[in-house]
Structures are given as structure tokens and as C-alpha cells.
Amino acid sequence: MNEAKATAKLANQVALVTGASSGIGAGVAAALAKAGAAVAVNYHSNADSAHALVDDIRKSGGRAISVKADVGQPDDIARMFSAVHDQLGDVDIVVANSGIQKDAPSIDMTLEDWHKVIETNLTGQFLTVQAAVRAFVARQRKQQFADGHPPHSKALGKVICMSSVHDVIPWAGHVNYAATKGGINMMMRTLAQEFAPQRIRINAIAPGAIRTPINKEGWESPEALEKMMKLIPYKRIGEAEDIGNAAVFLASDDSDYIVGTTLYVDGGMTLYPGFENNG
Ligand code: NAD
């Protein structure tokens, strides 16, 4: 290991990112690896993209594995955490990022689409965080760190839930999605309160409009992009790297006193941009 790697912010740490074969998850996995963490890239269906990201990380001198799991399925979650433990070691950082949209006017929304989005975005994140906390606590029981945390981190473990600006901005035609993101806020804060005494830090990132496959129709044409800019005071679309940088901060000791907070990374989307020109 070279000197730069040894002094990297997340050196000697193991991270798991769910839904990391595309978009924000891929950007977060790459950023955590660049900061020195060994990274498990979870994927649901796109094995090729996950393997390509793992190859990229390895080519840059990092450690990475890919692991398939559906975050809505408890057995998959258990298998995923065992694979990470067996192949990379004790997990320090977990990013519950997986999420889907199944949009429809609320009057037409099927119960199936309601349930599917809740299962992946809310239940999936809960199961991921629950498994993360179990892994952190098991590690402390086994290794008995004198100060309650391993030498390479001031916390026993760090969790980041991927929320959205739609945890506070209502979104007509996306009621299932907005309900999950609002739910993540209270789930994250409750879990943060519950596990902070064990030196486990749980926080969330709320991205604004980030250029990924989930919102392609919002940025793929110049007209759509222009319309989007009306919602963004900072007048640019976000990139996965913007979220990756925030994730490195929330996973590192730089944020050691930040517990139960949602960090908005949104170019000002939550600042009521309709009032930019006097309303
Ligand atoms: P994306 O579609 O590229 O990523 C979503 C990922 O979740 C995919 O890799 C997908 O395979 C994975 N996934 C879906 N169902 C899964 C399951 N059952 N088990 C495991 N993985 C599953 O879109 P993205 O924009 O990168 O979204 C990532 C997260 O960021 C989501 O939680 C999304 O709600 C949130 N977000 C995105 C934006 C944005 O503008 N792109 C804004 C706010 C929040």
C-alpha cells in the first residue's frame, strides 16, 4: 500500500453500497473507494455494470467485490452481509441507496406499485440498516474495543440512507415515492437516536436532481433540462460525484459529531426557487 492510500480518509475501512451498479450508488461506491475504503458493490439485476465498476476500482489499486441481492428480501440481505464479511472483513460503512420509482396519478396507482416502491425504498432501507447495526454490534461483542470503536474510525459504524428532496417537497403523481422518502426521514432519525449510544452514526443524504437513469426524461433533451433549471437556484444538474463527495464526508471522522441529520445536496432545490424573482 502506498503512502497516499495509507493516509486516505477511509483507509482500512470496509463499505457496502446497495444499488451500486448505476447512478448515485455507483458514484458513491467510486468515491468511497477513492477515499481508501474496500467497497462491496451491491446490484439487483445489472451484474455487468457492477463487475465493470469493481474492475475500475481494482485497476486504481483499490479492493472491491460485487454482490447480488434484492434489498426487499431479508434472506438476500443476510447473504449479502455474510459475503461482505467473508470477502472484505468487518463492515464499517453502509450506504442504503437502492430505490425505485413507479409513478402514476394517485387516482390510478395500483396497490402493486404502491407496495413495490414501499418494499424497495423503505423496507429495503430498514432491512439494510438493521443488518448493518447487527454487524457493528456483533463486531464490538467479539473485538471488545476499549473505546467502543475500532482504531481506524471514531465511530463503531456509519450508515447513510439515501433519501431525496421529496422527503420535504410534495410530489404529485409520485405519492408512493414521496411517502417512502418522508418515511426514511423519521426511520433514519429514530434509528440514529436508538443506536448513537453504541457509537453508531446514522445520517441521510437528500439529493436534488442528479443526472442518473432514474430521471432520464428530466435531463436528456435541452428543453427538459431548461425546465429543470427553474427548480434549481444553482443552475446546474447534480452529478453522482456530488453525492459521492457528501457520502465520503458523512462516512469519515470529519463528520464525527453529526448524528441523525439529513444533508441536502440539491443546488438549492429546497429553497423555494419560485420566490427567486420576488415570487
Ligand atoms: P438508479 O436507478 O440509477 O439507481 C437505483 C439503484 O437501485 C439501481 O442500481 C437498481 O438496480 C437498484 N435497485 C432497485 N431495486 C433494487 C432492489 N430491490 N434491491 C437492490 N437494488 C435495487 O437511480 P439513482 O438516481 O442512482 O437512485 C439512487 C437513489 O438515489 C435512490 O434511492 C433514489 O431515490 C435516490 N435519489 C435520486 C435522485 C436523482 O435525481 N437521481 C434524487 C433524489 C434521490
Side-chain angles (χ1 to χ4, degrees), residues 19 21-25 42 44 69-71 97-100 120 162-164 177 181 207-210 212-215:
S21 62
S22 64
I24 288 174
N42 158 250
H44 179 236
D70 178 339
V71 296
N97 165 76
S98 295
I100 54 170
T120 303
M162 203 55 69
S163 183
S164 162
Y177 183 85
K181 296 303 182 178
I210 310 298
T212 75
I214 214 172
N215 57 1

Side-chain angles (χ1 to χ4, degrees), residues 18-27 42-46 67-73 76-77 80 96-101 116 119-121 124-125 128 161-166 171 177 180-181 184 205-216 219 228 237-238 240 243 265 269:
T18 69
S21 62
S22 64
I24 288 174
N42 158 250
Y43 67 95
H44 179 236
S45 38
N46 196 339
V67 49
K68 182 175 166 68
D70 178 339
V71 296
Q73 303 303 320
D76 277 25
I77 296 267
M80 172 170 71
N97 165 76
S98 295
I100 54 170
Q101 285 180 220
K116 189 66 204 166
E119 177 187 293
T120 303
N121 297 13
Q125 288 213 11
T128 303
C161 295
M162 203 55 69
S163 183
S164 162
V165 290
H166 296 296
W171 204 14
Y177 183 85
T180 62
K181 296 303 182 178
I184 285 169
I205 296 174
I210 310 298
R211 194 194 309 267
T212 75
I214 214 172
N215 57 1
K216 207 165 169 214
W219 51 262
M228 182 188 276
I237 188 170
I243 308 301
V265 184
M269 191 178 251

Side-chain angles (χ1 to χ4, degrees), residues 73-236:
Q73 303 303 320
D75 291 350
D76 277 25
I77 296 267
R79 266 196 299 273
M80 172 170 71
F81 273 81
S82 305
V84 174
H85 184 265
D86 294 349
Q87 294 176 57
L88 294 177
D90 289 303
V91 71
D92 299 280
I93 300 159
V94 172
V95 184
N97 165 76
S98 295
I100 54 170
Q101 285 180 220
K102 287 189 178 291
D103 311 328
S106 299
I107 202 165
D108 300 325
M109 186 168 285
T110 63
L111 188 56
E112 193 187 353
D113 283 357
W114 170 265
H115 279 314
K116 189 66 204 166
V117 172
I118 303 281
E119 177 187 293
T120 303
N121 297 13
L122 192 56
T123 308
Q125 288 213 11
F126 172 69
L127 293 171
T128 303
V129 182
Q130 186 186 48
V133 170
R134 285 178 177 158
F136 301 150
V137 170
R139 179 185 202 177
Q140 173 59 5
R141 285 208 185 109
K142 196 175 59 189
Q143 301 185 15
Q144 292 288 324
F145 299 116
D147 300 324
H149 61 92
H152 54 255
S153 167
K154 289 183 179 168
L156 177 62
K158 284 92 45 147
V159 174
I160 301 169
C161 295
M162 203 55 69
S163 183
S164 162
V165 290
H166 296 296
D167 70 339
V168 290
I169 303 178
W171 204 14
H174 307 256
V175 66
N176 46 2
Y177 183 85
T180 62
K181 296 303 182 178
I184 285 169
N185 178 43
M186 205 36 100
M187 179 191 77
M188 178 280 292
R189 294 175 65 210
T190 299
L191 294 168
Q193 184 197 59
E194 194 168 337
F195 297 110
Q198 281 149 281
R199 292 197 80 140
I200 294 168
R201 290 196 301 113
I202 305 179
N203 289 290
I205 296 174
I210 310 298
R211 194 194 309 267
T212 75
I214 214 172
N215 57 1
K216 207 165 169 214
E217 70 288 352
W219 51 262
E220 65 185 345
S221 73
E223 299 75 38
L225 204 55
E226 195 185 323
K227 190 166 159 232
M228 182 188 276
M229 288 310 121
K230 293 199 174 78
L231 300 174
I232 307 175
Y234 203 57
K235 303 303 172 207
R236 77 164 170 85

